[in-house]
Amino acid sequence: MQEPTLMRLTTQRQIILEELLKVSSHPTANEVYDMVRKRLPRIGLGTVYRNLELMAETGMILKLEVGGTQKRFDATIQPHYHIRCLECGKVDDIDIAVQQDINEAAAQASQYQILGHHIEFTGLCVDCAGSDQTASIN
Amino acid sequence: MQEPTLMRLTTQRQIILEELLKVSSHPTANEVYDMVRKRLPRIGLGTVYRNLELMAETGMILKLEVGGTQKRFDATIQPHYHIRCLECGKVDDIDIAVQQDINEAAAQASQYQILGHHIEFTGLCVDCAGSDQTASIN
DNA sequence: TTATGTGCAAAACATTTGCAGGAGT
DNA sequence: ACTCCTGCAAATGTTTTGCACATAA
């Protein structure tokens, strides 16, 4: 008899989740690695990637596939949207109403089986809007 | 006196743009490379990357920062949204109305200077919805 | 003629993976 | 005990870059 495979509660996983819950900055895998390493100096980057991926698959956290070169992770799992600074790459939550109706519209406009959507705004954050050298891409 | 720097019309650029105009598949840089190489066998992948980036900066084409591991490029520059298959990674245009009002909402909800937004739907394409092994991430 | 662009190859990043030993249940 | 997980290091995949030569204007 095979029991269903369960995700073990390892120290590494606990601490990754704890650290992710502490911040609202949508860190990249490498930033999570840096945060976690302060408490678990011997953790490997591979472990961080594996666990972030696993936690995203099981719905404990969100993997943000926003623009830029790296994936980002978010412990806030309620549906919400993001805004990314084109200058410095920072990603913030943006509190506007979730467009519940557009999945329906999308279903009518395509052959796809719609599973969800994400809106990403782009712009300049307060810090970068001031120091005003025309935004670079990314 | 310095004339404004201009983008030279090289054979490579012409052909990259022509090939991109031929398709509606939002190819990755590597796919563009393959397409272009049939006509210009000695072109380098670096040249393709450099030119796609440059053409995106000047607004001739769109660089799509959608989910998945690679950036994609689109010769359709009118604002429009996309849908990505979670199973096979394909990206299609989706013809729903552009939400003109949400940039305004975003401006009120954040400190950012809003420059734009993009909506990415996720789901299963016709091919993948049929062969129904639970979608993998990406 | 000369600044800009190209091909090529190496470098730089981001992410994934194989494996031998370690730890949760 | 018996998997599943981890650290480490190597491999993979994507994009960028340095440089000597070529070419559009």
Side-chain angles (χ1 to χ4, degrees):
Chain A
M1 261 302 184
Q2 240 345 56
E3 295 297 316
T5 300
L6 54 110
M7 182 163 83
R8 287 185 183 164
L9 186 52
T10 62
T11 311
Q12 287 84 344
R13 280 176 194 159
Q14 282 178 122
I15 294 188
I16 288 170
L17 185 57
E18 282 173 23
E19 290 301 314
L20 203 49
L21 283 165
K22 276 186 193 166
V23 298
S24 60
S25 59
H26 313 88
T28 63
N30 204 69
E31 286 165 352
V32 173
Y33 177 53
D34 284 342
M35 288 153 57
V36 168
R37 213 159 24 149
K38 289 179 185 144
R39 297 174 57 190
L40 276 181
R42 306 196 54 80
I43 195 171
L45 180 56
T47 300
V48 172
Y49 269 101
R50 269 185 297 239
N51 283 330
L52 287 171
E53 188 66 37
L54 202 58
M55 290 157 95
E57 271 170 32
T58 57
M60 296 173 64
I61 64 172
L62 242 47
K63 172 161 124 185
L64 304 184
E65 309 223 8
V66 292
T69 51
Q70 287 149 283
K71 303 264 188 303
R72 292 172 172 273
F73 298 87
D74 191 345
T76 303
I77 56 178
Q78 292 81 44
H80 63 287
Y81 302 137
H82 296 94
I83 180 160
R84 177 168 53 96
C85 178
L86 291 175
E87 191 73 17
C88 69
K90 180 167 60 174
V91 173
D92 276 317
D93 290 332
I94 191 161
D95 185 25
I96 70 168
V98 171
Q99 316 284 111
Q100 296 135 306
D101 41 320
I102 64 176
N103 280 1
E104 184 107 345
Q108 308 222 290
S110 84
Q111 303 267 75
Y112 281 64
Q113 176 187 336
I114 309 289
L115 295 174
H117 74 266
H118 179 248
I119 306 185
E120 183 188 16
F121 292 90
T122 43
L124 297 175
C125 72
V126 207
D127 296 340
C128 294
S131 51
D132 202 40
Q133 327 116 24
T134 308
S136 67
I137 308 301
N138 262 17
Chain B
M1 258 302 181
Q2 247 332 66
E3 294 298 313
T5 301
L6 53 110
M7 181 163 82
R8 287 186 184 165
L9 186 52
T10 62
T11 312
Q12 288 82 347
R13 280 173 195 162
Q14 283 179 121
I15 295 189
I16 287 171
L17 184 57
E18 281 173 23
E19 290 301 315
L20 203 50
L21 283 165
K22 277 187 192 165
V23 298
S24 61
S25 58
H26 313 87
T28 63
N30 204 68
E31 285 165 351
V32 173
Y33 177 54
D34 285 341
M35 287 154 57
V36 169
R37 212 160 23 151
K38 290 180 184 143
R39 296 173 58 189
L40 276 181
R42 305 195 55 81
I43 197 174
L45 180 56
T47 301
V48 173
Y49 269 100
R50 270 185 296 239
N51 284 330
L52 287 171
E53 189 64 38
L54 203 56
M55 290 158 94
E57 270 170 32
T58 56
M60 297 174 62
I61 64 172
L62 242 48
K63 173 161 124 184
L64 305 184
E65 308 223 9
V66 293
T69 51
Q70 287 148 284
K71 302 261 188 305
R72 292 171 173 274
F73 297 87
D74 191 344
T76 303
I77 56 178
Q78 292 80 41
H80 63 286
Y81 302 137
H82 295 95
I83 180 160
R84 177 169 53 97
C85 178
L86 290 176
E87 190 74 17
C88 69
K90 180 167 61 174
V91 173
D92 277 315
D93 290 332
I94 191 160
D95 183 26
I96 72 168
V98 171
Q99 318 284 113
Q100 297 134 304
D101 41 321
I102 62 176
N103 280 2
E104 183 106 347
Q108 307 223 289
S110 85
Q111 303 268 75
Y112 280 64
Q113 176 186 338
I114 308 289
L115 295 174
H117 74 266
H118 179 249
I119 306 185
E120 183 188 17
F121 293 89
T122 43
L124 297 174
C125 72
V126 206
D127 297 339
C128 294
S131 52
D132 200 40
Q133 327 114 27
T134 309
S136 68
I137 308 302
N138 265 18

